[in-house]
Amino acid sequence: MTTSYEERAGDVEKTPPPATAPTPSTAPASSTASAPETPAAPAASRRSRTFLLTLGLTVALVVGCLLSAAIGAYNIPLGDVLSSVQHRIGLGGQALDRVGESVLWNVRLPRVVLALLVGASLGCAGALMQGVFGNPLAEPGVIGISAGAAVGAVASIALGLSFFGNWTITVCAFVAGLATVLLVYALSRSGGRTEVVTLILTGIAVNAFAGALIGLFIFFADNAQITQITFWQLGSLSQATWPKVLAVLPCAVAGLLIAPFYARKLDLLALGERPARHLGVDVERLRIVLVLVVALLTAAAVAVAGIISFVGLLVPHLLRMANGPGHRFLVPASALGGGVILVAGDLAARTVAAPAELPLGVLTALFGSPFFFWLLRRTRRRQGGWA
Amino acid sequence: MRTLRDLFAVRSRELPSPVAVGAPAVEAVGLSVRLGGRQVLDSLDLTAHAGEVVALVGPNGAGKSTLLAALAADLPAGSGEVRVDGRSTADWSAPELALRRSVLPQSAALSFPFPVEDVVRMGRAPWAGTEREDEDDAAVAAAMAATEVTRFAGRPFSALSGGEKARVALARVLAQRAPLMLLDEPTAALDLRHQELVLRICRERAAAGDAVVVVLHDLGLAAAYADRAAVLHEGRIAELGPPEQVFGGDLLGEVYRQPVEVFPHPRTGKPLIVPVRQG
């Protein structure tokens, strides 16, 4: 007994920073020397990974857009696509024949651009929502924001509203989406935290209520409107035209441009509301701005493409696994990734069952849901589930 | 329209000027706070000066954490006020306050699995865009070294043990380099060595001219490291002064409803507090 005590006492004296050292500054000093090197290596590798991922996503996006513009019922060779685009922006090249030019510029390209905008909006909105709620399951589709925006859009179709011309559906979707975000936010938060269970249950309730309202509007709509609503509800880009692109462009671009400025603050928000405030974040202001941005982005996407679920969930999750949760990368990269997924998804929707066309929303749900299952299993295995 | 512009406005910040040792860093004046219909703090006065460690002790529910939250401007004062760096906390903006005081919450949580180094670096956020941004790397490295977390700088925060998380959270607070540190039970999850380490860090910071207010449950630690200790009891300060003077057996016995014996340490003379036990 006595010997072991003495041994232990001896050990304590031998360790470099003894517990009773009068000058504690020696303890940090010994490790400071190695400190700058140890974190530097992972930081550098992370930077290069960030760069490679961004590059990869950009290349995938460009290739996806080109393929999507080229492939379809009327095939246009890639070289011709490039040459026609060059011609239009005045960099040489030459125009195609009349049919080719018309297919490319009036059918394919508006659709590609719309897929890009919708995908970027959904991906970015997903990353922002997850950051604002501090919760990896927050996604416009899962928690009912998309459905809420859809109520606004359906209402404007069913009631034949046209007070803002082209923008009517977008505006209605935005107002309804914003109301829904605020509702979900108010209902699911307590004491500065959002519990996963509460959030999901709120989403179920909101989705049910929105579904009922949509049903009600369909009940009162005439046949032509019902066809329009049903088609739109499945989630599709097949109605893409340049005026539609213009109708959502301001919303989507404004949202996408504002979002990255709040990335660093979103990182801090991961610490919790109070610690974020201690670090100088005006949490209330941050939340209001981001909720507005999410509503803008979701409304833009829903207004033209209907409910396309899981993009906002899937993309940020995959990127977080690949390159960590830092929002300065995550927010813009989610927009890029969402664009890639929707451009590719729309290409698949148009071509796999040609000449018929699958609704895009059905396709994303078909692939998104199994991902959700996998995510649930993975999280349960790693940390015993979401609490 | 004005509110919209307000939302997106970039606000200019006034950098803190160094506080002279002995000048008040944080003052609570006639501070009362009601929570859920209960008077948690009752017209309480407390001042922490630059260069000293003030320990807040007291039984559960005495109002220690509420007092710290009020000092941190998390809770609005019901009546009275809290002044940080000479100005009421209500008049400081969040970014300005962040340059003047750092806060360690009771439990460290993180929604996403950031690596440890990134978490510590979050402490530097208040200085972004100021001339002291250049200190970032040095401050982060020094804070991680001081709390002995450099070894797992690259590991995700969520994979750490409770005690390791607590030290990372402390490193984040240290990296902030604010002249006032408010720590809520920094030693709760820590082993013996790291409890001592944390309190030594507090002393170091005080020696460097910062003010440290720390909530402690361990009266021995408070006695050994604090310049002054405040014993809280039912929302008031029952006694405030140097530990040797405050930690008399009678007051502590009455406040904690547990008789205690107090001895001077045979070598240092600091009070040792032991509950009276049978046998």
Side-chain angles (χ1 to χ4, degrees), chain A residues 121-123 125-126 129-130 137-150 180-181 184 199-200 202-208 210 294 298 301-302 306-314 364 372:
Chain A
S121 299
L122 288 174
M129 290 224 79
Q130 291 165 18
L137 280 192
E139 195 257 355
V142 174
I143 64 176
I145 313 298
S146 296
T180 319
V181 183
V184 169
L199 187 65
I200 298 299
T202 311
I204 292 177
V206 170
N207 272 321
V294 166
T298 312
V302 167
I307 298 176
I308 294 177
S309 48
F310 293 109
V311 175
L313 184 74
L314 187 142
T364 58
F372 200 90

Side-chain angles (χ1 to χ4, degrees), chain A residues 150-179:
Chain A
V151 170
V154 169
S156 79
I157 298 175
L159 304 176
L161 304 178
S162 62
F163 45 90
F164 282 119
N166 244 340
W167 278 276
T168 313
I169 297 184
T170 317
V171 169
C172 290
F174 173 69
V175 172
L178 184 62

Side-chain angles (χ1 to χ4, degrees), chain B residues 15-279:
Chain B
L15 292 191
S17 44
V19 186
V21 170
V26 61
E27 303 160 88
V29 185
L31 178 67
S32 299
V33 174
R34 288 184 75 83
L35 285 179
R38 198 170 75 91
Q39 191 77 30
V40 186
L41 296 180
D42 193 2
S43 56
L44 175 150
D45 295 294
L46 178 74
T47 305
H49 305 90
E52 73 170 342
V53 177
V54 177
L56 304 179
V57 301
N60 297 140
K64 303 183 295 291
S65 293
T66 309
L67 175 55
L68 204 79
L71 294 180
D74 287 338
L75 295 172
S79 64
E81 67 169 359
V82 174
R83 285 199 286 267
V84 171
D85 199 4
R87 201 196 290 183
S88 168
T89 48
D91 297 337
W92 286 117
S93 70
E96 286 175 317
L97 212 45
L99 302 175
R100 288 166 176 82
R101 62 99 180 83
S102 54
V103 185
L104 179 74
Q106 219 170 68
S107 59
L110 198 65
S111 321
F112 298 106
F114 282 93
V116 165
E117 199 202 340
D118 287 11
V119 176
V120 177
R121 199 169 284 276
M122 288 179 188
R124 296 303 299 168
W127 301 99
T130 72
E131 69 244 36
R132 282 180 60 185
E133 199 175 12
D134 302 341
E135 289 175 27
D136 281 8
D137 290 330
V140 170
M144 289 204 297
T147 50
E148 301 184 351
V149 299
T150 313
R151 203 163 39 83
F152 36 84
R155 274 170 45 195
F157 183 80
S158 47
L160 303 181
S161 77
E164 290 168 336
K165 282 182 185 168
R167 272 148 56 204
V168 172
L170 180 67
R172 170 177 67 74
V173 170
L174 288 175
Q176 198 174 340
R177 295 200 170 165
L180 167 66
M181 291 211 306
L182 305 169
L183 313 175
D184 198 351
E185 297 191 26
T187 57
L190 300 184
D191 60 27
L192 200 57
R193 171 190 167 77
H194 291 109
Q195 290 188 6
E196 296 294 322
L197 179 80
V198 166
L199 269 299
R200 276 205 311 274
I201 292 173
C202 291
R203 283 250 52 97
E204 265 180 79
R205 294 299 299 254
D210 294 346
V212 182
V213 180
V214 52
V215 173
L216 287 174
H217 265 300
D218 188 325
L219 296 171
L221 283 176
Y225 286 102
D227 292 302
R228 290 190 300 150
V231 182
L232 268 81
H233 184 45
E234 293 176 351
R236 294 165 185 273
I237 292 183
E239 188 84 61
L240 171 68
E244 296 81 0
Q245 188 186 316
V246 170
F247 292 165
D250 292 345
L251 173 74
L252 291 180
E254 187 189 314
V255 165
Y256 281 92
R257 291 186 296 134
Q258 162 70 46
V260 296
E261 295 172 286
V262 182
F263 315 93
H265 187 278
R267 191 164 49 78
T268 63
K270 298 272 187 192
L272 296 173
I273 297 105
V274 181
V276 175
R277 290 171 181 140
Q278 304 301 323

Side-chain angles (χ1 to χ4, degrees), chain A residues 79-90:
Chain A
D80 289 3
V81 173
L82 285 173
S83 129
S84 176
V85 171
Q86 268 181 353
H87 176 70
R88 288 268 175 139
I89 56 177

